[in-house]
Amino acid sequence: MLSERSIDPAALDLLKKAAKDGIETVWDRYEAQQPQCGFGSLGICCRHCIQGPCRIDPFGQGPTRGICGATVDVIVARNLLRQVAAGAAAHVDHAYDAVEALELAAQGKINYPIKDKNKLRTIAAGLGLDATDQDVNALALEVVKVAYADMANHSQTPIQWLMAHAPKERIAVWKDLGILPRNPDREIREALHQTTMGMDADPVNLVLATAKQGLVDGYAGLKLATDMQDILFGSPTPVVTEANLGVLKSDYVNLIVHGHVPLLSEKIVEWAKTLSTEAQSVGAQGIQVAGICCSGNEVLMRQGIPLATNFLAQELAIVTGAVDAMVVDVQCIMPSLAQVAACYHTELITTMPIVKIPGATHIPFSLENADEAAQVIVRKALTAYTKRDPQKIHIPDHRSTIMAGFSVEAISAALAHLDADQPLKPLVDNIANGNILGVVATVGCNNVKVTQDLFHVEMVKELLKNNVLVVATGCSAHALAKAGLMNSEGTERFAGASLQAVLTAVGEAAGLGAPLPPVLHMGSCVDNSRIGDLVTAIARYLGVDTSALPVAASAPEPQHEKALSIGTWAVTMGLTTHLGVVPPVLGGKQVTELLTQGLTEVIGGKFYVETDPLLAAQGLITDIRAKRRALGLDN
Amino acid sequence: MKQLLVRSEHCVGCKSCELACAVAHSESKTLFGAVLESQPPRKRVFVETDGTMNFPLQCRQCSDKPCVRACIAGAMHLDPNTGLVQVNDDKCVGCWMCVMVCPFGAITEGPDRHVVKCDRCRELQYEPACVSACPTRALQWVEVDRFAATDRRSWVDHLKEANTYAE
């Protein structure tokens, strides 16, 4: 059934075209994969040594231990730790690229001007550096030195980026548990070591090591990446644009940026503007850049570039027949794109040394050759435009107006219109008086096991109806943007009365002439750090631990190992963290119990798995109400 | 009539059929539900191997029915509606006679001193769960003659190849 694949009208429209054009999509391949292995689904298969693979019988009739003697909980915990470490590795690698970019920019070796001097000074001051009169480039190099020192830390001292930015109450909890990470690279290496054959056989110790990886992800990945990118490209401020594949234009050269790191996509946006006059020479009106996944979110937040679509519909973007080039960097890029692109005129362009796809054109990107590479890529799109097949073009007429760009700085600026001295006060007061019941952050992916966007949208509508403010990032933000939950009309249609009143008051005070949207788009997946910063700031303002706040997190349709590492970080922050898809841990009862209950006693947060959107919303609201009660607030 | 037949050369020993069988005989009928049930469901198919060949084995529904003949309690019986040998759980006294006479070892101990064996998913309206779960189509729910015809065609192909090589 088509309607089981997606709720996005553009995706449904294009799925029909894909079938007509004979294009195989992610949904077809998912069906071909059925049935999926039960051992893998339960996390009870171990392939860590080549005496294996070993599987445990979940029903107790067959083997209860692996060949080495590992119990089912050891196998489940080791698998989870490896997955979370892989997610953290992706984010730390991303952040490292951004640090490198700031260093070369400050040295004047690359053409990336440092755009946000205020953020640089704030970060520097937070790290204990003298930020007053220093030259911007010299100060940037000081900041880079601290980031590099973390990556080269040979001592037992914790990651400085964490110590400078995490709440003191949390640091004390993590220290007690012995999970303060040292050098992020060392911790990731240690996780691989700890999970190899003949190592840790204690499920509790393995779960604590997993929590440590969450901290690596949160501070040496997410937070570091966002900080570097804001300094380089500017902290986002509110922007208004549109979302969904209807943003593609039939008479423009359509260039899609897809992936996660903005180092290339920022340059693409810049050069698409500069070279737009060349579009006329190929018969186009101009160049339309649009984004998929988090590269899309990055250039949306800072440049107001429209969103094309999210993870599951990346192939369908090409099926429009109107995408002249799709340029990809890292993460969440389906290898199948090359096959789909081969059926149309689309130039699929890979750019990174660790992401090559046979069938794509590889144009190596480096910080030093960024301008040249970007120009080559834009011109490839121009050339491809001339090869379009008009018979194959179909752009679905679906797009929603969205307001995005809600960095913590932008939220504070909007609230400052109500209280210039204490911008957080109006937000906190409205939470305290119950106008805002609480805050839920929806993050993460699409997962083909869930009807695309359905969980994000249905759960969030229920939360809004109950006056829960929602902030979003990643593909969750894309889903909610497409569904019309990121504009003022969305506030009037979906927000409960008291939430609507608050959003209207802030919107009016900030001079928007309309309410703030009911869902605030806070950026890409690494920008989950912005949510962390907001939660940290609110907790500090109130003088309470983050675990006490009526705040929860949710990954309604998680797919990637990164979603597991981000979720683990949210749990270490003391938040109840909902997952809408069952992670591969149920085979281990002890591990499942630790993740969903046992951890709460020591860390405050927990995982909460619920695969029904309305029940999940109700579960999160119950959790928020319990935290309100504990704070002495009315429900 | 369709039968449960096996192409053992396709069996990679993944045991997905065993899991699916247990789930099909659980209360919840779902994997995630079944692992949480207090009484673990029992599988009725067993992937056996001698190190070179794998074979998912379950009740073969023999026509001479030694298990029915051996049953002193009338629990093991021929269901007149389906023509299948089935166990009536209420009558089983746990004497294990059927276990001893089954040439395939396809009858095993279930909860409460009762025997369990493959019932061909009679509760399910579709093909047996083990067949649905098999990723390599080693387990098939197919008419005997169709299965044999496939074998004959494969033999012809093999012969042709051999002749071509001989020339």
Side-chain angles (χ1 to χ4, degrees):
Chain A
M1 279 278 286
L2 212 56
S3 62
E4 284 171 10
R5 293 185 165 190
S6 181
I7 60 163
D8 172 355
L12 289 170
D13 193 0
L14 287 165
L15 273 167
K16 287 183 207 141
K17 182 169 190 284
K20 202 177 78 192
D21 291 358
I23 303 297
E24 179 195 84
T25 67
V26 58
W27 288 277
D28 301 316
R29 293 189 299 273
Y30 173 64
E31 272 173 26
Q33 280 295 332
Q34 299 312 308
Q36 287 171 288
C37 174
F39 296 98
S41 302
L42 295 171
I44 53 179
C45 171
C46 180
R47 297 187 298 124
H48 293 194
C49 90
I50 46 181
Q51 299 180 99
C54 292
R55 288 151 306 166
I56 305 304
D57 182 346
F59 304 121
Q61 281 181 285
T64 56
R65 285 170 180 267
I67 291 167
C68 68
T71 63
V72 68
D73 281 297
V74 169
I75 290 175
V76 168
R78 284 197 305 215
N79 287 341
L80 179 67
L81 176 50
R82 281 212 172 176
Q83 285 194 291
V84 172
H91 286 140
V92 174
D93 213 30
H94 173 162
Y96 198 96
D97 280 353
V99 177
E100 218 173 15
L102 182 60
E103 181 193 29
L104 293 171
Q107 290 169 340
K109 288 181 181 166
I110 56 172
N111 183 25
Y112 283 80
I114 293 172
K115 286 219 182 108
D116 195 340
K117 299 175 180 69
N118 287 336
K119 181 111 186 192
L120 173 65
R121 291 192 197 286
T122 308
I123 295 293
L127 293 168
L129 302 170
D130 176 14
T132 42
D133 302 316
Q134 276 221 54
D135 163 67
V136 168
N137 289 333
L139 186 60
L141 287 174
E142 289 288 309
V143 167
V144 164
K145 216 163 123 186
V146 176
Y148 276 157
D150 276 340
M151 305 287 182
N153 179 15
H154 303 306
S155 75
Q156 298 296 320
T157 54
I159 292 174
Q160 295 178 75
W161 221 266
L162 178 152
M163 297 304 278
H165 298 112
K168 298 286 163 286
E169 297 81 358
R170 286 281 101 193
I171 292 175
V173 170
W174 302 331
K175 188 162 187 267
D176 276 354
L177 289 170
I179 59 169
L180 274 176
R182 302 152 299 182
N183 168 337
D185 289 348
R186 180 177 181 181
E187 302 300 354
I188 292 165
R189 181 210 314 150
E190 191 178 84
L192 290 177
H193 182 191
Q194 190 172 354
T195 51
T196 195
M197 194 269 144
M199 289 293 292
D200 205 346
D202 177 1
V204 177
N205 204 39
L206 285 159
V207 169
L208 286 172
T210 307
K212 193 203 274 186
Q213 290 297 317
L215 296 175
V216 170
D217 189 76
Y219 291 100
L222 313 180
K223 174 75 178 144
L224 181 60
T226 302
D227 288 344
M228 295 293 107
Q229 288 168 182
D230 277 357
I231 292 169
L232 269 175
F233 303 121
S235 299
T237 53
V239 290
V240 176
T241 179
E242 291 177 319
N244 215 341
L245 286 164
V247 303
L248 300 178
K249 295 182 178 171
S250 59
D251 50 355
Y252 274 60
V253 173
N254 292 311
L255 203 174
I256 283 185
V257 293
H258 174 19
H260 283 78
V261 183
L263 296 170
L264 167 67
S265 44
E266 280 278 338
K267 284 289 179 190
I268 297 282
V269 171
E270 183 188 329
W271 279 102
K273 277 183 200 150
T274 311
L275 299 178
S276 64
T277 46
E278 289 187 19
Q280 273 122 42
S281 65
V282 295
Q285 298 294 313
I287 302 172
Q288 173 78 335
V289 180
I292 295 180
C293 287
C294 281
S295 287
N297 282 324
E298 297 280 2
V299 290
L300 161 74
M301 293 286 283
R302 298 195 182 86
Q303 309 291 347
I305 296 298
L307 293 176
T309 194
N310 50 357
F311 173 74
L312 272 183
Q314 57 185 275
E315 296 164 311
L316 297 178
I318 298 178
V319 173
T320 61
V323 173
D324 302 298
M326 182 183 282
V327 56
V328 301
D329 48 78
V330 294
Q331 301 167 14
C332 299
I333 297 146
M334 292 190 201
S336 62
L337 288 176
Q339 272 175 289
V340 183
C343 300
Y344 300 90
H345 76 295
T346 308
E347 273 277 3
L348 177 68
I349 301 166
T350 55
T351 53
M352 296 296 166
I354 56 170
V355 185
K356 295 189 178 181
I357 304 175
T361 304
H362 191 74
I363 299 176
F365 166 83
S366 69
L367 291 164
E368 289 82 359
N369 82 346
D371 289 294
E372 292 75 17
Q375 287 176 71
V376 171
I377 290 164
V378 172
R379 292 207 168 98
K380 282 246 177 228
L382 294 175
T383 309
Y385 178 83
T386 62
K387 296 176 190 160
R388 275 194 193 178
D389 179 351
Q391 304 297 318
K392 282 191 173 174
I393 296 176
H394 174 65
I395 302 172
D397 190 21
H398 297 289
R399 57 195 167 278
S400 302
T401 302
I402 61 167
M403 178 181 275
F406 291 99
S407 57
V408 176
E409 292 84 346
I411 293 172
S412 298
L415 292 169
H417 291 285
L418 297 171
D419 189 331
D421 294 332
Q422 291 177 298
L424 285 178
K425 191 168 181 295
L427 176 63
V428 171
D429 286 351
N430 277 296
I431 294 176
N433 67 22
N435 284 339
I436 298 175
L437 189 69
V439 183
V440 168
T442 70
V443 309
C445 334
N446 287 138
N447 182 321
V448 71
K449 291 176 178 172
V450 182
T451 304
Q452 184 194 12
D453 297 350
L454 178 116
F455 210 128
H456 295 289
V457 172
E458 291 308 311
M459 185 187 78
V460 166
K461 280 184 185 167
E462 184 69 12
L463 291 170
L464 295 175
K465 198 168 85 185
N466 287 279
N467 299 303
V468 174
L469 178 67
V470 174
V471 299
T473 58
C475 280
S476 184
H478 276 266
L480 301 169
K482 287 187 289 180
L485 291 160
M486 286 191 182
N487 55 42
S488 303
E489 296 79 59
T491 308
E492 282 148 17
R493 277 186 66 193
F494 300 110
S498 59
L499 175 63
Q500 197 174 319
V502 175
L503 293 170
T504 306
V506 180
E508 296 293 340
L512 297 174
L516 280 186
V519 179
L520 302 181
H521 192 325
M522 293 191 74
S524 64
C525 286
V526 293
D527 291 341
N528 283 313
S529 64
R530 300 191 197 281
I531 300 170
D533 285 349
L534 186 61
V535 169
T536 302
I538 293 173
R540 187 178 298 142
Y541 174 83
L542 287 171
V544 300
D545 183 25
T546 48
S547 68
L549 296 175
V551 175
S554 169
E557 303 174 16
Q559 159 265 134
H560 205 279
E561 287 167 321
K562 293 178 291 171
L564 289 176
S565 60
I566 294 168
T568 305
W569 175 54
V571 170
T572 63
M573 289 296 283
L575 305 186
T576 294
T577 303
H578 164 253
L579 300 175
V581 177
V582 182
V585 299
L586 283 199
K589 288 199 170 55
Q590 188 188 357
V591 173
T592 304
E593 195 278 333
L594 273 172
L595 296 174
T596 55
Q597 295 169 40
L599 269 184
T600 316
E601 289 159 31
V602 290
I603 221 163
K606 64 174 182 228
F607 279 107
Y608 160 53
V609 178
E610 173 53 62
T611 57
D612 178 274
L614 291 182
L615 292 179
Q618 285 156 15
L620 289 170
I621 289 166
T622 305
D623 193 78
I624 284 170
R625 286 191 194 280
K627 293 206 171 171
R628 290 184 67 90
R629 250 195 316 279
L631 284 171
L633 299 175
D634 287 341
N635 280 297
Chain B
M1 191 184 164
K2 286 184 175 178
Q3 297 292 343
L4 247 176
L5 301 179
V6 177
R7 295 215 173 276
S8 62
E9 67 274 24
H10 289 182
C11 178
V12 295
C14 74
K15 302 192 179 190
S16 294
C17 53
E18 292 188 359
L19 277 196
C21 177
V23 171
H25 293 90
S26 69
E27 287 293 320
S28 65
K29 311 284 184 211
T30 68
L31 176 68
F32 294 152
V35 294
L36 301 173
E37 284 168 23
S38 54
Q39 174 65 59
R42 299 303 173 100
K43 64 185 177 190
R44 294 111 196 272
V45 56
F46 306 88
V47 179
E48 293 300 334
T49 184
D50 69 349
T52 55
M53 188 179 86
N54 303 320
F55 200 101
L57 197 59
Q58 65 292 88
C59 169
R60 302 308 311 152
Q61 295 289 345
C62 327
S63 58
D64 62 341
K65 305 180 271 300
C67 54
V68 174
R69 286 192 277 118
C71 182
I72 56 164
M76 198 67 79
H77 67 284
L78 185 75
D79 178 3
N81 296 324
T82 57
L84 295 176
V85 175
Q86 300 286 19
V87 188
N88 183 337
D89 206 38
D90 294 336
K91 289 189 179 171
C92 179
V93 296
C95 69
W96 318 123
M97 288 302 292
C98 55
V99 176
M100 290 184 273
V101 299
C102 175
F104 299 105
I107 305 172
T108 53
E109 183 180 1
D112 306 325
R113 216 187 142 85
H114 289 173
V115 295
V116 292
K117 74 164 193 72
C118 168
D119 57 5
R120 298 244 165 137
C121 290
R122 59 181 164 172
E123 286 178 18
L124 306 177
Q125 293 304 307
Y126 44 87
E127 65 182 7
C130 55
V131 175
S132 308
C134 182
T136 61
R137 311 283 181 266
L139 273 159
Q140 300 190 358
W141 182 235
V142 64
E143 281 83 12
V144 173
D145 283 352
R146 242 187 85 202
F147 186 93
T150 309
D151 270 350
R152 289 196 296 272
R153 274 197 299 276
S154 152
W155 182 81
V156 170
D157 287 346
H158 177 75
L159 190 70
K160 208 164 106 190
E161 240 173 68
N163 285 344
T164 313
Y165 183 73
E167 283 165 18

